[in-house]
Amino acid sequence: MFDGNLTRFQLDGTVEHREGQQFVGGKGFAGDSFERVHRIEPHGFASSPVKGGIGVAMSARGNRDSAYVFGGENPSMRPDIAMGGAAIYDHTGNIVSVVQKDMRIVHSARVHIVAPEIILEGAVYLGGPGASRPVSAEGTVDSAGHTDASNFAAGVFAT
């Protein structure tokens, strides 16, 4: 029986980008070595696979010089997500996950959002989910007669 010229492919960490395409190196199921294999990714998604990632290599027309690799996920770096969830993650533990009704963005240093206009709709909790002290808009006078000089909006809560 023919296997369709497919083999399990383990990435060796070699990644080369050339003219908008990505080429990787690694070993097949029987330990056979592959160099400069074209790695295929869907439109709108770009990643640079890490050593130890696993994918599948397909040799076009049975020719090892015309091989393509699909996939390349390293099982030791895969985040634990619930059934039906999705995640974008990297090799350092940064993650954007969509699981059930929540979207989480986790990063070790900073999250930077850039746009000409940013719209937050709904209650905003500064300092964590336990924030409960409402902040007020600029010009609001409190019970002691002090006027707020900042410009927080109603519906924003701080700890």
Side-chain angles (χ1 to χ4, degrees), residues 56-74:
V56 64
M58 178 180 78
S59 297
R61 299 175 303 279
N63 183 352
R64 285 179 47 89
D65 292 336
S66 297
Y68 299 92
V69 171
F70 300 88
E73 179 175 56
N74 186 319

Side-chain angles (χ1 to χ4, degrees), residues 10-130:
Q10 185 170 23
L11 295 154
D12 65 9
T14 304
V15 180
E16 175 189 343
H17 292 96
R18 189 174 41 125
E19 297 179 12
Q21 297 183 45
Q22 186 179 85
F23 298 88
V24 296
K27 292 187 178 184
F29 186 70
D32 42 340
S33 181
F34 289 84
E35 294 179 7
R36 296 192 66 249
V37 179
H38 187 194
R39 181 168 174 258
I40 307 296
E41 291 186 295
H43 171 74
F45 181 82
S47 68
S48 189
V50 297
K51 184 175 182 176
I54 298 172
V56 64
M58 178 180 78
S59 297
R61 299 175 303 279
N63 183 352
R64 285 179 47 89
D65 292 336
S66 297
Y68 299 92
V69 171
F70 300 88
E73 179 175 56
N74 186 319
S76 69
M77 296 176 184
R78 180 182 175 82
D80 183 24
I81 56 174
M83 175 91 59
I88 300 170
Y89 63 95
D90 69 9
H91 66 291
T92 62
N94 300 317
I95 183 171
V96 175
S97 61
V98 181
V99 181
Q100 296 176 356
K101 63 179 181 146
D102 292 329
M103 174 183 227
R104 288 183 61 228
I105 301 173
V106 178
H107 198 282
S108 62
R110 177 174 68 178
V111 174
H112 185 162
I113 300 172
V114 178
E117 183 176 312
I118 298 171
I119 298 169
L120 299 175
E121 189 171 317
V124 176
Y125 295 86
L126 302 174

